[in-house]
Amino acid sequence: MSYTGPDFEPSQPHRSPLRRALTVAVAALVPGALLGWGVYAAVGGPGEGDGGGSGRAGGAGTPAAPSSGAPASGAPASSPGDGDGKKLAGSSPAPTSKAPSASGPALPASGPLTGKVVVIDPGHNPANFRHASEINRKVNVGTHWKECDTTGTATNAGWPEAKFTLDVAHRLRTLLLEQGATVKLTQDGDRSFGPCVDERARIGNEAKADAAISIHADGSGAGNRGFHVIMPGSVHDGAADTRAIVAPSAELGERVAGAFVRVTGTAPSNYLGDGTGLVTRTDLGGLNLSTVPKVFIECGNMRDRTDAALLTSGSWRQKAAQGMSEGIVSFLRG
Ligand code: ZN
């Protein structure tokens, strides 16, 4: 679908009620997230992104189960839903921005994002579970030390989060390339593990990304449903200094959340963010070490059967990528 017309995104003064609500929510959540940090530091937390913010960001919702649900032993299950959306490069090798393959999307010579760089960070790595010692190595994220990377969660049927994140990343890459952007992935299933969370941030920094997004799905308790976008809180500690990216990241997060609601029709999280779909955190290395506008998105809860039915649907994943793309395009066009 094309959304290159001038009317695609209303200008700032004409923000939707949803966006206004999201903006208010961001302001309201920041103090809560900072307060929550002490709790997080005291109890420790699960892996980067998933579940770690449950009950710690804004004090909302019920605590989630730790996202330690690694895929069952043996090879990860094959990707469900590969049948639908395959023509959209869901599981085939996607083109790079520099050398599109013949099977990739038809790329315009230019587009609204020409000259813009977007870094997509597919959370975790399908092979992380084979490299426990490597991914358990601690790296410094400014505020503290944490594991290099984690396995991520999985559906109850054993489909790994890392497969989900890579699939959505490919779909998002295709959509952004169609808009003329230069797109870089932090990993493309081409590494034996990781990268570590500090490197995931560094890749965005070194690419001088205009926007970066880390894609995840949560591993919370059954009944906890919906997506949330995680934005960096203000951190200035050691190698971490997010002060310059808090505001633009919040803007990016609002726009991604708004577009995600509109395109997927999926409700914001019912267990975090007070119904806004927006959460601010100060414990994620991938955000703390970023010097470019960056957000995480937890697309749903893999451990909830209803959410898992969406996450394992190729057509829903396409909508998810479309929502992210429209939010990013909106942010980058200003
Ligand atoms: Zn994750």
Side-chain angles (χ1 to χ4, degrees), residues 77-104:
S78 61
S79 169
D82 279 353
D84 47 353
K86 197 165 211 168
K87 67 182 184 299
L88 294 160
S91 60
S92 58
T96 67
S97 57
K98 289 178 180 172
S101 71
S103 62

Side-chain angles (χ1 to χ4, degrees), residues 22-285:
L22 292 170
T23 303
V24 170
V26 172
L29 284 169
V30 169
L34 292 174
L35 269 178
W37 163 243
V39 178
Y40 184 90
V43 301
E48 185 89 356
D50 323 299
S54 304
R56 301 185 182 99
T62 54
S67 62
S68 57
S73 60
S78 61
S79 169
D82 279 353
D84 47 353
K86 197 165 211 168
K87 67 182 184 299
L88 294 160
S91 60
S92 58
T96 67
S97 57
K98 289 178 180 172
S101 71
S103 62
L107 301 180
S110 64
L113 298 192
T114 297
K116 300 292 188 182
V117 177
V118 180
V119 166
I120 304 172
D121 177 38
H124 317 282
N125 180 316
N128 271 356
F129 72 97
R130 295 196 190 96
H131 296 271
S133 61
E134 290 94 336
I135 67 170
N136 286 332
R137 179 175 68 84
K138 296 288 198 298
V139 297
N140 191 304
V141 299
T143 49
H144 58 298
W145 293 78
K146 69 189 300 182
E147 290 78 14
C148 153
D149 205 11
T150 51
T151 58
T153 187
T155 64
N156 291 334
W159 191 51
E161 179 190 355
K163 295 265 191 181
F164 168 84
T165 66
L166 202 51
D167 177 272
V168 174
H170 289 160
R171 295 171 191 269
L172 177 57
R173 173 169 59 184
T174 298
L175 293 167
L176 291 170
L177 288 173
E178 288 171 353
Q179 298 295 309
T182 298
V183 182
K184 183 175 179 62
L185 266 59
T186 59
Q187 58 95 3
D188 198 1
D190 52 353
R191 307 170 60 128
S192 56
F193 66 92
C196 298
V197 295
D198 55 341
E199 185 180 352
R200 289 176 189 265
R202 192 160 59 243
I203 290 169
N205 298 346
E206 290 179 351
K208 295 182 168 54
D210 296 287
I213 186 165
S214 187
I215 300 172
H216 291 258
D218 212 351
S220 187
N224 287 342
R225 295 195 53 204
F227 80 93
H228 63 278
V229 173
I230 306 171
M231 305 169 300
S234 185
V235 172
H236 184 210
D237 191 358
D241 185 356
T242 61
R243 293 172 296 177
I245 66 159
V246 165
S249 298
E251 179 73 20
L252 173 63
E254 288 174 39
R255 289 178 180 256
V256 168
F260 199 86
V261 167
R262 178 162 45 80
V263 177
T264 66
T266 305
S269 169
N270 66 3
Y271 60 100
L272 281 173
D274 290 327
T276 64
L278 295 172
V279 170
T280 300
R281 286 174 61 173
T282 55
D283 60 295
L284 301 178

